[in-house]
Coordinates of all heavy atoms in Angstrom, one line a residue:
Q53 N -37.5 -3.9 20.4 CA -38.1 -4.2 19.1 C -37.0 -4.5 18.1 O -35.8 -4.3 18.4 CB -38.9 -3.0 18.6 CG -40.1 -2.6 19.4 CD -40.8 -1.4 18.9 OE1 -40.4 -0.8 18.0 NE2 -41.8 -1.0 19.6
P54 N -37.3 -5.0 16.9 CA -36.3 -5.2 15.9 C -35.6 -3.9 15.7 O -36.2 -2.8 15.7 CB -37.0 -5.7 14.7 CG -38.3 -6.2 15.2 CD -38.6 -5.5 16.4
I55 N -34.3 -4.0 15.4 CA -33.5 -2.8 15.2 C -33.9 -2.1 13.9 O -33.9 -2.7 12.8 CB -32.0 -3.1 15.3 CG1 -31.6 -3.6 16.6 CG2 -31.2 -1.9 14.9 CD1 -30.2 -4.0 16.7
V56 N -34.2 -0.8 14.0 CA -34.6 0.0 12.8 C -33.6 1.1 12.7 O -33.3 1.8 13.6 CB -36.0 0.6 12.9 CG1 -36.3 1.4 11.7 CG2 -37.0 -0.5 13.2
T57 N -32.9 1.2 11.5 CA -31.9 2.2 11.3 C -32.5 3.3 10.5 O -33.2 3.1 9.5 CB -30.7 1.6 10.5 OG1 -30.2 0.5 11.2 CG2 -29.6 2.6 10.3
Q58 N -32.2 4.5 11.0 CA -32.7 5.7 10.3 C -31.6 6.7 10.1 O -30.7 6.9 11.0 CB -33.8 6.4 11.2 CG -34.3 7.7 10.6 CD -35.3 8.4 11.5 OE1 -35.6 7.9 12.6 NE2 -35.9 9.5 11.0
K59 N -31.5 7.2 8.9 CA -30.5 8.2 8.5 C -30.9 9.6 9.0 O -32.1 9.9 8.8 CB -30.1 8.2 7.1 CG -29.5 6.9 6.6 CD -29.0 7.0 5.2 CE -28.3 5.7 4.9 NZ -27.7 5.7 3.6
L60 N -30.0 10.4 9.5 CA -30.3 11.7 9.9 C -29.8 12.7 8.9 O -28.6 12.7 8.5 CB -29.6 12.0 11.3 CG -30.1 11.1 12.4 CD1 -29.2 11.4 13.6 CD2 -31.5 11.3 12.7
Y61 N -30.7 13.6 8.4 CA -30.3 14.6 7.4 C -30.2 16.0 8.0 O -31.0 16.3 8.9 CB -31.3 14.6 6.2 CG -31.1 13.4 5.4 CD1 -31.8 12.2 5.6 CD2 -30.3 13.4 4.3 CE1 -31.7 11.1 4.8 CE2 -30.1 12.3 3.5 CZ -30.8 11.1 3.7 OH -30.7 10.0 2.9
T62 N -29.3 16.8 7.5 CA -29.2 18.2 8.0 C -30.4 19.0 7.7 O -30.8 19.8 8.4 CB -28.0 18.8 7.3 OG1 -26.8 18.0 7.6 CG2 -27.7 20.2 7.9
M63 N -31.0 18.7 6.5 CA -32.2 19.5 6.1 C -33.4 19.3 7.1 O -34.3 20.2 7.2 CB -32.7 19.0 4.7 CG -31.6 19.3 3.7 SD -31.2 21.0 3.5 CE -32.3 21.4 2.1
A64 N -33.4 18.2 7.9 CA -34.5 18.0 8.8 C -34.2 18.5 10.2 O -35.1 18.6 11.0 CB -34.8 16.5 8.9
E65 N -33.0 18.8 10.5 CA -32.6 19.3 11.8 C -32.2 20.8 11.7 O -31.2 21.1 11.2 CB -31.3 18.5 12.3 CG -31.6 17.0 12.5 CD -32.4 16.7 13.8 OE1 -32.3 17.5 14.7 OE2 -33.0 15.7 13.8
Y66 N -33.1 21.6 12.2 CA -32.9 23.1 12.1 C -31.7 23.5 12.9 O -31.1 24.5 12.6 CB -34.2 23.8 12.4 CG -35.3 23.6 11.4 CD1 -36.5 23.1 11.8 CD2 -35.1 24.0 10.1 CE1 -37.5 22.8 10.9 CE2 -36.1 23.8 9.2 CZ -37.3 23.2 9.6 OH -38.2 23.0 8.6
G67 N -31.4 22.8 14.0 CA -30.3 23.2 14.9 C -29.0 23.1 14.2 O -28.0 23.7 14.5
I68 N -28.9 22.2 13.1 CA -27.7 22.1 12.3 C -27.8 22.8 11.0 O -26.8 23.4 10.5 CB -27.4 20.6 12.1 CG1 -27.2 19.8 13.4 CG2 -26.2 20.4 11.2 CD1 -27.2 18.3 13.3
L69 N -29.0 22.9 10.5 CA -29.2 23.5 9.2 C -28.9 25.0 9.2 O -28.3 25.6 8.4 CB -30.6 23.3 8.7 CG -31.0 23.9 7.4 CD1 -30.1 23.4 6.2 CD2 -32.5 23.7 7.1
I70 N -29.4 25.7 10.3 CA -29.2 27.1 10.4 C -27.8 27.6 10.4 O -27.3 28.4 9.6 CB -30.1 27.7 11.5 CG1 -31.6 27.6 11.2 CG2 -29.7 29.2 11.8 CD1 -32.5 27.9 12.3
P71 N -26.9 27.0 11.3 CA -25.5 27.4 11.3 C -24.8 27.0 10.1 O -23.9 27.7 9.6 CB -24.9 26.8 12.6 CG -25.9 25.9 13.1 CD -27.2 26.1 12.5
A72 N -25.2 25.8 9.5 CA -24.5 25.4 8.3 C -24.8 26.3 7.1 O -24.0 26.7 6.3 CB -24.9 23.9 8.0
A73 N -26.1 26.6 7.0 CA -26.5 27.5 5.9 C -26.0 28.9 6.1 O -25.5 29.6 5.1 CB -28.0 27.6 5.8
A74 N -25.9 29.4 7.3 CA -25.3 30.7 7.6 C -23.8 30.7 7.2 O -23.3 31.7 6.7 CB -25.5 31.1 9.0
T75 N -23.2 29.6 7.5 CA -21.7 29.5 7.1 C -21.6 29.6 5.6 O -20.7 30.3 5.1 CB -21.2 28.2 7.7 OG1 -21.3 28.1 9.1 CG2 -19.7 28.1 7.4
V76 N -22.4 28.8 4.9 CA -22.3 28.8 3.4 C -22.5 30.3 2.9 O -21.8 30.7 2.1 CB -23.3 27.8 2.8 CG1 -23.4 28.0 1.3 CG2 -22.9 26.4 3.1
L77 N -23.5 30.9 3.4 CA -23.8 32.3 2.9 C -22.7 33.3 3.3 O -22.3 34.1 2.4 CB -25.1 32.8 3.5 CG -26.4 32.1 3.0 CD1 -27.6 32.6 3.7 CD2 -26.5 32.3 1.5
L78 N -22.2 33.2 4.5 CA -21.1 34.1 4.9 C -19.8 33.8 4.1 O -19.2 34.8 3.7 CB -20.8 33.9 6.4 CG -21.6 34.6 7.4 CD1 -21.3 34.3 8.8 CD2 -21.5 36.1 7.2
L79 N -19.5 32.6 3.8 CA -18.3 32.3 3.0 C -18.5 32.7 1.6 O -17.5 33.1 1.0 CB -18.0 30.8 3.1 CG -17.5 30.3 4.5 CD1 -17.3 28.8 4.5 CD2 -16.3 31.1 5.0
L80 N -19.7 32.6 1.0 CA -20.0 33.0 -0.3 C -19.8 34.6 -0.4 O -19.2 35.1 -1.4 CB -21.4 32.6 -0.8 CG -21.5 31.2 -1.3 CD1 -23.0 30.9 -1.6 CD2 -20.7 31.0 -2.5
V81 N -20.3 35.3 0.6 CA -20.1 36.7 0.6 C -18.6 37.1 0.8 O -18.1 38.0 0.2 CB -21.0 37.4 1.7 CG1 -20.6 38.8 2.0 CG2 -22.4 37.2 1.4
D82 N -17.9 36.2 1.6 CA -16.5 36.5 1.9 C -15.6 36.3 0.7 O -14.6 37.0 0.7 CB -16.1 35.5 3.0 CG -14.9 35.9 3.7 OD1 -14.7 37.1 3.9 OD2 -14.1 35.1 4.2
I83 N -16.0 35.5 -0.2 CA -15.2 35.4 -1.4 C -15.0 36.7 -2.2 O -14.0 37.0 -2.7 CB -15.8 34.3 -2.4 CG1 -15.6 32.9 -1.8 CG2 -15.2 34.3 -3.8 CD1 -16.3 31.8 -2.5
F84 N -16.1 37.5 -2.2 CA -16.1 38.7 -2.9 C -15.7 39.9 -2.1 O -15.8 41.1 -2.6 CB -17.5 38.9 -3.6 CG -17.8 37.8 -4.5 CD1 -18.7 36.8 -4.2 CD2 -17.2 37.8 -5.8 CE1 -19.0 35.8 -5.0 CE2 -17.5 36.8 -6.7 CZ -18.4 35.8 -6.3
M85 N -15.2 39.7 -0.9 CA -14.7 40.8 -0.1 C -13.2 41.0 -0.2 O -12.5 41.4 0.7 CB -15.1 40.6 1.4 CG -16.5 40.7 1.7 SD -16.7 40.5 3.4 CE -18.4 41.2 3.6

Side-chain angles (χ1 to χ4, degrees):
Q53 298 175 359
I55 296 176
V56 178
T57 302
Q58 179 183 2
K59 292 185 178 189
L60 301 172
Y61 287 91
T62 306
M63 299 297 264
E65 298 284 335
Y66 292 119
I68 300 171
L69 178 63
I70 291 171
T75 302
V76 169
L77 291 175
L78 278 176
L79 293 178
L80 279 174
V81 168
D82 200 32
I83 289 174
F84 298 102
M85 290 185 164

